[in-house]
Amino acid sequence: MRKNIKTTEAIFPMPVLMIATYNEDGSVNVMNAAWGTMLERDQVILNLTETHKTVKNIKARKAFTVSIADAAHVVEADYFGVVSGNNTPDKFEKSGLTTTKSEHVDAPIINEFPLCMECEFIQYQDGEYGCGVIGKVVNTTADESVMNGDIVDIIKVAAIAFDPYTHGYYKVTERVGNAFKDGLQLK
């Protein structure tokens, strides 16, 4: 028997994405965003409201980066979600993490997170069914520590996912199948 539960944000897993921008003074701002995904092969979409400091920075700089949070930095990733850049302008410095300026867009790459997409701002959609920030991915980088040759090893990434049911973070580390292949058994 199935039971009704009282949640509407029921998709699991939700990614834990670190959205990094530069503030107007050139300092780094980062926020934790669970509501984001790929829109097309080279576009990301982030469900963010215009009240976020990050959205203001994206509109001003026309760029941002999206890093995949990992288990080694869950404390820092969560901190970026519970502290607002509107109220704590030096929140990135308090995290102890470091950045490198992207060679492709006007935004920082957080060195400690192993995967990063560098994005150009395309547009902000609002209104009743608006979905927030849309960006074009112009470059993706991976730390060599999570690579097997030229391929990202997601097990080494130890990405974390957000659980909206219990507000927990879970490490994504076990491969259980082969996409576009296993289902062929039923064909």
Side-chain angles (χ1 to χ4, degrees), residues 8-25:
T8 57
E9 55 181 71
I11 293 177
F12 174 80
M14 294 178 80
V16 181
L17 306 173
M18 299 294 103
I19 314 305
T21 61
Y22 286 121
N23 293 314
E24 51 280 338
D25 65 0

Side-chain angles (χ1 to χ4, degrees), residues 8 10 12 16 25 44-45 53 57 61 70-71 85 93 103 105 110 112 124 128 140 153 167 175 183-184 186:
T8 57
F12 174 80
V16 181
D25 65 0
V44 296
I45 188 162
K53 177 67 173 158
N57 290 346
R61 297 281 185 147
D70 64 343
E93 289 75 25
E103 294 178 17
V105 298
I110 305 169
E112 290 78 8
Y124 185 85
E128 185 178 0
T140 302
D153 182 339
H167 293 174
R175 184 180 182 125
L184 297 175
L186 301 178

Side-chain angles (χ1 to χ4, degrees), residues 2-107:
R2 298 186 68 82
K3 183 177 180 179
N4 291 327
I5 58 175
K6 295 179 182 179
T7 185
T8 57
E9 55 181 71
I11 293 177
F12 174 80
M14 294 178 80
V16 181
L17 306 173
M18 299 294 103
I19 314 305
T21 61
Y22 286 121
N23 293 314
E24 51 280 338
D25 65 0
S27 61
V28 174
N29 181 67
V30 181
M31 76 171 289
N32 178 325
W35 291 12
T37 191
M38 299 304 299
L39 178 61
E40 294 189 24
R41 289 190 183 274
D42 67 344
Q43 293 179 3
V44 296
I45 188 162
L46 307 169
N47 190 345
L48 306 176
T49 64
E50 290 183 285
T51 58
H52 290 290
K53 177 67 173 158
T54 301
V55 173
K56 295 171 191 169
N57 290 346
I58 289 170
K59 286 181 166 184
R61 297 281 185 147
K62 308 294 185 213
F64 58 99
T65 59
V66 178
S67 294
I68 308 298
D70 64 343
H73 300 96
V74 70
V75 170
E76 295 88 341
D78 191 58
Y79 173 73
F80 293 139
V82 297
V83 176
S84 169
N86 286 319
N87 303 323
T88 309
D90 63 343
K91 78 175 188 176
F92 182 76
E93 289 75 25
K94 290 181 178 184
S95 75
L97 300 182
T98 61
T99 63
T100 301
K101 183 174 181 351
S102 164
E103 294 178 17
H104 302 277
V105 298
D106 186 18

